[in-house]
Amino acid sequence: MTTVPLRRNRNYTLLWAGQAVSEVGFSTTMIAFPLLVLAITGSPAASGLVLGADAAAQLLAGLPAGALVDRWDRKRIMLWCEAAMAAAVGSLALALWWDSASLAHMVLVAVIMGVCRALFEPAEDACLTRLVPEEQLATAISLNAARSSIGQMAGTALGGVLFAIGRVVPFLVDMITHLISLISLAFLRVPYREVERAPIGNIGKEIAEGLRWVWSHRHVRVTALCAVSLNFFFNAFYIVIIVLANARGVPAGQIGLMAAMLGFGGLLGSLLAPTLHRILHPWVSIMAVFWMVTLLTPLTILAPNGYVLGALFAGMSFLAPTANTTINTHQLLLTPDDLRGRLSGVMNVVVGAAAAAGPAAGGVLVEFVDGTVAVLWCTAGMAAVSLLVTVSPVLRRFPVSV
């Protein structure tokens, strides 16, 4: 029997399109949030508090969320998350309209957004294998990555423009995007799965079971540790290079372009990821992204302007979708359905922890050493991780298929 192309897969198309719209709205809010806090409070620290509340909520909720995804109906989780996010940003839009928005309200909205994403992402990941056949899973994962890149780039560009039109506008747009996604999800048909109704008090045991499963599988454990290490050093480097570019007088517009090119490279890489996933050995696809980032990082020291920095950043992100497609496809097919939520929850937490710790480390590093030296320190850390990936016997024997 001929497999139906993904573009004709009704359920996958509904999920992809709804989330594409939702992610544009979310990225719009994440750009507008610090601008709003600064406009209302005048405090950069308060802006950091709001964005930090979102990240902290997602991180803290990650492990319990993964366990709940495995015990609850996954479609309902996604529906409730979209409804809650629409209500949260809608309440903020209403408060802005009435000129009564407060810092506490904004922190609460950020926390709700973070918790909802902690629940939604594992639910979507776990549903994916039930919506597309195994032979199309890698393509679906890469298209989801492309969707995220598109949403991030479009939302980032829209956020500032909409905020300039009016403070309430980006949050109103975000509310509408979540409602559109909610309607799209309502028509989604996810194959039925039996869910064991265990007492809620067992949640701790279920989290521990998910952690043990991840740790007991060598390929999952090693790829997670490598990804965490690279994310840590890259996020440290990202802060360092922004500080260095600013110190060298690179205009803010060019620094913004540099950040946008990171998403552009990821988008191009996502479109080519299904092809590269098929023709490259998994070890090669994983190793390539590590060495690409390691080799391009020190070249940023020589970059004369933000345009060259942007090109280097696009190159750094180009191969990441192929490695992520290879790793995520293997993990989802290897993991039993009743553990897929916990797998995603664990991976989101470890990667999120690295993403949070990296900028903090980079900020401390650039306080004590020159920016150029700080870049070289980050390069050294990336090179060490890349060498470990290259010689790892586990990754060399990474299975081509499950």
Side-chain angles (χ1 to χ4, degrees):
M1 185 176 63
T2 304
T3 303
V4 176
L6 279 179
R7 66 178 180 275
R8 291 171 54 193
N9 182 324
R10 172 189 176 277
N11 289 313
Y12 177 73
T13 302
L14 279 172
L15 179 61
W16 192 95
Q19 281 310 289
V21 174
S22 180
E23 288 184 19
V24 170
F26 173 75
S27 295
T28 298
T29 289
M30 287 299 103
I31 291 296
F33 241 145
L35 298 175
L36 176 64
V37 179
L38 281 172
I40 291 178
T41 68
S43 169
S47 293
L49 174 64
V50 172
L51 293 182
D54 171 81
Q58 187 171 11
L59 195 61
L60 292 173
L63 293 180
L68 292 173
V69 164
D70 286 334
R71 64 155 61 200
W72 290 347
D73 182 279
R74 290 159 179 170
K75 177 184 171 180
R76 288 185 181 178
I77 289 175
M78 293 190 289
L79 285 169
W80 279 110
C81 286
E82 288 291 4
M85 287 189 284
V89 293
S91 72
L92 182 56
L94 196 60
L96 289 169
W97 183 262
W98 288 337
D99 198 24
S100 61
S102 66
L103 179 61
H105 188 176
M106 289 184 280
V107 170
L108 177 61
V109 171
V111 168
I112 292 172
M113 300 288 280
V115 171
C116 287
R117 290 208 325 284
L119 279 163
F120 191 101
E121 290 174 8
E124 182 187 11
D125 289 344
C127 279
L128 199 58
T129 55
R130 305 179 71 83
L131 298 179
V132 302
E134 289 187 5
E135 61 269 23
Q136 292 181 332
L137 185 59
T139 301
I141 289 172
S142 63
L143 287 176
N144 283 0
R147 179 193 74 195
S148 296
S149 296
I150 293 170
Q152 182 182 20
M153 287 190 297
T156 300
L158 275 174
V161 174
L162 294 178
F163 188 81
I165 295 172
R167 293 180 183 180
V168 70
V169 178
F171 303 98
L172 185 62
V173 168
D174 190 17
M175 181 192 72
I176 293 170
T177 63
H178 288 300
L179 290 175
I180 291 172
S181 179
L182 178 66
I183 294 169
S184 176
L185 287 170
F187 291 96
L188 188 68
R189 290 197 292 264
V190 180
Y192 177 77
R193 58 185 283 267
E194 289 284 347
V195 180
E196 183 180 349
R197 300 296 180 184
I200 195 66
N202 290 351
I203 195 75
K205 294 180 181 178
E206 293 171 9
I207 292 172
E209 183 184 1
L211 290 168
R212 281 195 301 270
W213 193 94
V214 169
W215 189 255
S216 65
H217 288 76
R218 291 183 304 165
H219 292 102
V220 178
R221 180 177 71 243
V222 171
T223 51
L225 292 174
C226 291
V228 166
S229 302
L230 184 64
N231 269 290
F232 173 81
F233 287 114
F234 180 79
N235 280 284
F237 158 73
Y238 186 76
I239 294 299
V240 169
I241 201 62
I242 289 177
V243 172
L244 183 61
N246 184 66
R248 291 180 173 179
V250 176
Q254 291 185 25
I255 294 177
L257 174 67
M258 177 189 74
M261 288 300 288
L262 191 66
F264 182 71
L267 173 60
L268 292 181
S270 298
L271 297 176
L272 285 175
T275 301
L276 295 176
H277 170 74
R278 287 193 299 269
I279 64 178
L280 294 178
H281 186 278
W283 172 61
V284 174
S285 69
I286 295 169
M287 180 177 59
V289 68
F290 281 80
W291 281 114
M292 179 69 82
V293 175
T294 299
L295 295 173
L296 292 180
T297 295
L299 296 182
T300 58
I301 296 172
L302 307 175
N305 53 53
Y307 302 112
V308 176
L309 282 173
L312 291 172
F313 268 73
M316 291 178 196
S317 61
F318 179 72
L319 290 177
T322 301
N324 289 336
T325 296
T326 297
I327 293 169
N328 293 341
T329 301
H330 171 74
Q331 289 178 350
L332 283 175
L333 293 178
L334 176 69
T335 308
D337 184 67
D338 61 349
L339 281 166
R340 283 176 178 147
R342 277 166 282 184
L343 166 73
S344 182
V346 170
M347 300 307 293
N348 287 344
V349 166
V350 295
V351 173
V364 172
L365 182 63
V366 82
E367 284 283 337
F368 290 97
V369 300
D370 178 74
T372 299
V373 176
V375 170
L376 294 176
W377 272 109
C378 294
T379 302
M382 295 177 192
V385 178
S386 299
L387 283 171
L388 291 175
V389 170
T390 303
V391 302
S392 168
V394 175
L395 294 181
R396 283 175 175 268
R397 295 192 294 268
F398 199 98
V400 175
S401 60
V402 178

